[in-house]
Amino acid sequence: MNLSAEEIQQNWLRLMGFIEDHIAEPRKTKLIEFYEKYSERLMLMPAAHKKEYHNAFPGGYVEHVNRVITCALHLHDLWAQMGADVNTYTKEELVFSALNHDLGKMGDEEHESYIPQTDNWRREKLGEDYMFNTKLPFASVPDRGLFLLQSHGISYTFNEMITIQTHDGLYDEANKKYLMTYLPEQKPRTALPFIVHQADLMAARIEFEREWFPKFQNNLDTPKKSFTLENNKKSQPVTSGTKSKALGSIQSEGLKNLLNNL
């Protein structure tokens, strides 16, 4: 998928609008300064390094973050309607966590995390339009994001820290200590981590479907060639007599049923 320059710009303005509308001072000013400082990089970042994931194209990161924030706001209302205690967190904490959940993907002050793939084979065969920048010291996405915030003087609450840390849910083994505990006193004291995780999961799934479902449908719509067997120099269609003779020599009922349906 490709976004136009106008779409990239509109997505950026929408992102900044979430900060204006939902974040209070003094964090609002600090966040705006941070995002404006790295605006060119953030605006053009992909959300992932390969097509099989989601939004692996220029501008994909901001579009993904906007969708996560929007999903989180809707899920907040749903959880409230279903009886969850939404007084254990604030709306600002919800938006702040969704806004910065993947911030670590930007890299650090000097180096981008995702750079254009230089290996043509990996680009063409594996769908990796980007690769990881080896100049960047390793850190998990949540750890790097939290470090970036604190190193730029942007404070965060305990709720926000746990939510950003665990936004990948149990897809990340490191989150088991927070999400797989069986002692009531060790479980999260707020639904916020679960809401943002669900929002991220929902957004990524929507982006996957948008990218891949049309491709799946195109494959289904492509006419299939009739099955033929090589016979010396000439290919001949498989006749019913040929198929019956071939099936008669097969012992496995499962394989026989599979071939019979070709």
Side-chain angles (χ1 to χ4, degrees):
M1 180 175 176
N2 293 313
L3 297 177
S4 67
E6 292 75 16
E7 289 173 320
I8 290 174
Q9 180 65 25
Q10 286 302 313
N11 286 338
W12 179 255
L13 293 176
R14 187 180 179 209
L15 183 81
M16 300 303 284
F18 282 124
I19 299 176
E20 287 282 359
D21 295 341
H22 294 282
I23 308 299
E25 294 292 0
R27 289 202 303 180
K28 176 190 291 189
T29 296
K30 292 183 177 180
L31 272 173
I32 290 174
E33 289 174 351
F34 174 85
Y35 274 83
E36 287 182 343
K37 180 178 180 180
Y38 299 103
S39 60
E40 183 175 338
R41 187 195 304 187
L42 290 164
M43 201 181 298
L44 297 175
M45 271 173 52
H49 78 288
K50 64 186 301 183
K51 295 174 182 175
E52 283 76 5
Y53 296 159
H54 63 100
N55 276 25
F57 50 79
Y61 173 81
V62 171
E63 193 203 47
H64 171 69
V65 171
N66 284 342
R67 184 171 286 106
V68 173
I69 296 172
T70 303
C71 289
L73 289 169
H74 284 295
L75 285 169
H76 163 80
D77 293 337
L78 178 61
W79 277 64
Q81 291 169 13
M82 296 307 296
D85 185 356
V86 294
N87 294 315
T88 57
Y89 63 90
T90 66
K91 189 71 70 70
E92 178 173 345
E93 287 180 318
L94 177 77
V95 173
F96 183 93
S97 299
L99 171 71
N100 297 297
H101 78 282
D102 268 347
L103 183 62
K105 289 183 177 181
M106 72 163 272
D108 62 18
E109 290 85 348
E110 303 298 327
H111 305 291
E112 298 180 41
S113 181
Y114 298 135
I115 57 177
Q117 178 62 260
T118 57
D119 188 326
N120 288 332
W121 185 89
R122 298 191 70 87
R123 184 187 297 111
E124 295 171 4
K125 303 300 182 183
L126 302 180
E128 295 180 0
D129 290 335
Y130 298 88
M131 62 182 183
F132 293 106
N133 188 352
T134 56
K135 293 181 180 179
L136 189 68
F138 172 77
S140 70
V141 170
D143 287 346
R144 192 185 303 282
L146 291 169
F147 179 80
L148 282 167
L149 291 171
Q150 65 87 22
S151 65
H152 286 80
I154 302 170
S155 62
Y156 42 81
T157 67
F158 183 83
N159 277 348
E160 291 164 347
M161 179 189 71
I162 298 299
T163 300
I164 292 172
Q165 193 75 53
T166 63
H167 77 268
D168 277 328
L170 291 175
Y171 288 99
D172 187 340
E173 290 277 330
N175 295 333
K176 285 186 175 181
K177 60 182 177 290
Y178 291 111
L179 305 178
M180 280 192 69
T181 176
Y182 301 103
L183 298 175
E185 62 271 17
Q186 291 184 356
K187 290 181 181 292
R189 304 292 175 93
T190 173
L192 185 60
F194 303 100
I195 293 173
V196 172
H197 171 56
Q198 287 184 346
D200 187 29
L201 191 65
M202 182 186 297
R205 176 64 193 188
I206 291 168
E207 290 153 9
F208 169 81
E209 291 185 2
R210 179 184 61 180
E211 175 78 19
W212 287 95
F213 276 18
K215 296 176 182 178
F216 296 155
Q217 189 59 48
N218 288 339
N219 289 338
L220 291 174
D221 293 340
T222 302
K224 293 182 174 57
K225 296 181 180 179
S226 60
F227 183 69
T228 59
L229 292 175
E230 290 277 329
N231 184 12
N232 295 332
K233 299 179 181 178
K234 191 175 181 180
S235 293
Q236 298 178 351
V238 177
T239 65
S240 58
T242 305
K243 180 183 285 188
S244 297
K245 186 176 180 180
L247 292 175
S249 63
I250 295 173
Q251 299 300 316
S252 169
E253 290 300 321
L255 181 58
K256 186 180 295 186
N257 181 60
L258 175 65
L259 293 175
N260 191 41
N261 289 319
L262 289 175

